[in-house]
Amino acid sequence: MSKAKNRSPSDTDTRSSLTGRRFRAITSDMVAYMGRNLNYGYVNTVAQFPGRLDAERLHRASLLSVDAEPILGCRFVDALYHPYWLRRDDLDRTPDLFTLVETRDPDRALEACLTKHLDPRSDPQIHVSLIRNKHDTLCVKFNHMVGDGFSMYEYLYLLAGIYNHLEKDPDYTPPINFTDRELVKEIAKRFDLKQKIQIVRYLLSSVRKDRRNSGSWDFPVS
């Protein structure tokens, strides 16, 4: 299996240029993938609105949001040599990314959204469901492989920001985020060698202390 390739990003990239593009899978992606059957694996957000959202604009905002954060519009390729993310080419027509559900039983529709299974090998890593009854309910499902609870928080602000921009400018397109996802490396750049040695010594000391106190790997540990 050939190694995943990354082109040099540029500010002129568009959605069409993202199609078929590969992104490197980082260590946390692969760890989460291996443990996907051991935990729930999703971060969910539910919000109810007193009025009606613009479904067409929300759909457009959802599409643009996975352009702004390209990894969300990818599927995970479990390659033998090194797994990678591959950008899907059908995001504008698949219900896997966005669905509008008009129903007399919004509770059942909400349950369906919350229990929906996302397969990282084939589905987008985000699912937006607009459930319409007397009120509009928004259910957003986020795959934990690509981010944590704070990532969901950031995504919701991104989605809302795009939605609001589209009201003023229907041709609005957000900038694409090509920031390195290996956050440990980004954080490490902020410390010099002496500080890194101190951190490692502290961590090793904490591990030895935990072992003395617990005597095993059982919880609780400090």
Side-chain angles (χ1 to χ4, degrees):
M1 184 66 69
S2 61
K3 187 176 181 180
K5 298 179 180 178
N6 264 330
R7 298 201 319 269
S8 298
S10 71
D11 293 336
T12 59
D13 279 320
T14 62
R15 184 200 299 179
S16 60
S17 68
L18 290 172
T19 299
R21 183 168 177 176
R22 297 183 181 187
F23 298 89
R24 183 176 63 90
I26 62 177
T27 302
S28 59
D29 296 339
M30 292 180 276
V31 171
Y33 178 74
M34 289 188 294
R36 67 192 184 282
N37 295 323
L38 301 178
N39 57 67
Y40 177 66
Y42 306 113
V43 182
N44 292 317
T45 297
V46 177
Q48 189 176 79
F49 297 85
R52 292 288 180 90
L53 297 176
D54 186 326
E56 184 177 347
R57 178 153 48 104
L58 182 59
H59 185 194
R60 173 69 176 161
S62 300
L63 288 169
L64 290 173
S65 73
V66 297
D67 291 344
E69 295 290 344
I71 205 75
L72 297 180
C74 293
R75 63 182 183 86
F76 188 75
V77 179
D78 186 12
L80 179 62
Y81 179 66
H82 194 291
Y84 59 91
W85 295 97
L86 180 65
R87 178 74 174 191
R88 287 179 52 157
D89 60 1
D90 62 345
L91 294 171
D92 57 344
R93 57 184 183 275
T94 176
D96 296 332
L97 176 66
F98 176 87
T99 56
L100 170 62
V101 183
E102 298 185 78
T103 177
R104 295 180 179 179
D105 191 348
D107 290 340
R108 177 172 293 184
L110 178 58
E111 181 180 357
C113 176
L114 294 174
T115 58
K116 178 181 176 63
H117 175 72
L118 298 178
D119 186 341
R121 296 167 297 182
S122 59
D123 297 327
Q125 308 311 308
I126 195 82
H127 176 73
V128 179
S129 183
L130 179 58
I131 301 169
R132 177 156 290 171
N133 188 254
K134 294 180 180 179
H135 304 283
D136 274 359
T137 300
L138 183 65
C139 177
V140 181
K141 179 179 287 288
F142 190 93
N143 190 349
H144 212 313
M145 277 186 65
V146 295
D148 54 14
F150 184 76
S151 301
M152 166 64 96
Y153 173 85
E154 291 289 301
Y155 174 77
L156 293 173
Y157 270 91
L158 171 67
L159 182 64
I162 296 173
Y163 179 84
N164 290 332
H165 270 99
L166 289 174
E167 182 180 18
K168 302 173 183 178
D169 179 10
D171 296 323
Y172 170 76
T173 56
I176 301 176
N177 180 18
F178 286 111
T179 304
D180 190 349
R181 297 178 57 243
E182 197 77 73
L183 293 181
V184 173
K185 292 181 181 179
E186 292 299 310
I187 295 172
K189 293 177 183 177
R190 300 175 181 269
F191 298 93
D192 59 30
L193 179 59
K194 182 179 179 180
Q195 291 172 319
K196 291 176 182 177
I197 293 174
Q198 290 176 333
I199 291 171
V200 171
R201 285 178 175 174
Y202 176 79
L203 291 174
L204 292 177
S205 174
S206 297
V207 170
R208 288 192 292 268
K209 181 180 178 181
D210 287 339
R211 287 180 175 176
R212 286 196 302 268
N213 291 342
S214 63
S216 70
W217 288 99
D218 294 336
F219 289 100
V221 294
S222 63

